[in-house]
Amino acid sequence: MKLPVSTEWVLHCATTLAQLNPGATASTTQLAQYYDLPAPYLAKQLKALVKAGVLAATTGPRGGFRLARPATSITLLQIVEAVDGTSPPYECREIRQQGRGALPPEECHRTCILAAKMAEAHEAWRSSLAGVTLADILATLPPAAPSRTRLRLSGTT
């Protein structure tokens, strides 16, 4: 499965926002500069996270983005699905019933075994991501990472 590059962006940005002090925000410009990303495109991705209830946005001079919920209640799956959708990556088009090798319809009453295996793999992938929260990710960071992130991102410790 190949995901768009923007998936990496939002996973890192959400992890970065999770390292901020409670109530603190970071703007699109700050996050774009922090990761050297195109701000207009990043803004669209961050808005998708707001729409999904992963991030909250505020306006004004100190406006920006912050987590909408505690890091313990935001899963990697929620972040990925907010920007990439929930559709499975594999769609069986029943080519086993086409062409010179076509199977007769009576042999195709059951779901194609390949489609079933791909669906199992997709569900395992989703389950794995659903079992990891931003808090889990933060727990694996080096102890100095959050303060370094806050300092580099917003100039405060």
Side-chain angles (χ1 to χ4, degrees):
M1 175 184 314
K2 184 172 178 146
L3 297 171
V5 68
S6 58
T7 305
E8 178 186 8
W9 298 359
V10 296
L11 287 166
H12 279 282
C13 286
T15 301
T16 298
L17 293 171
Q19 295 175 66
L20 299 180
N21 290 322
T25 62
S27 69
T28 301
T29 301
Q30 287 173 306
L31 291 166
Q33 289 174 351
Y34 192 76
Y35 288 111
D36 193 24
L37 301 173
Y41 190 61
L42 178 61
K44 288 171 55 175
Q45 305 306 312
L46 295 174
K47 287 178 185 175
L49 292 179
V50 171
K51 186 176 180 182
V54 173
L55 299 182
T58 56
T59 58
R62 294 181 178 235
F65 297 93
R66 61 177 168 72
L67 297 184
R69 306 187 305 273
T72 55
S73 68
I74 299 173
T75 68
L76 298 185
L77 181 64
Q78 292 166 335
I79 296 168
V80 170
E81 287 187 342
V83 295
D84 295 322
T86 60
S87 298
Y90 182 82
E91 182 180 340
C92 182
R93 291 180 172 55
E94 282 294 333
I95 68 167
R96 65 185 175 158
Q97 296 182 55
Q98 301 173 27
R100 292 176 60 183
L103 295 174
E106 60 271 11
E107 290 185 29
C108 298
H109 289 294
R110 291 189 176 185
T111 300
C112 170
I113 187 64
L114 297 172
K117 292 301 177 184
M118 294 301 283
E120 286 176 20
H122 180 64
E123 191 51 43
W125 178 81
R126 291 181 79 251
S127 183
S128 176
L129 292 178
V132 180
T133 66
L134 284 178
D136 297 329
I137 299 298
L138 294 180
T140 67
L141 297 177
S147 61
R148 183 181 63 236
T149 297
R150 290 189 296 270
L151 178 65
R152 290 182 179 169
L153 190 65
S154 61
T156 62
T157 56

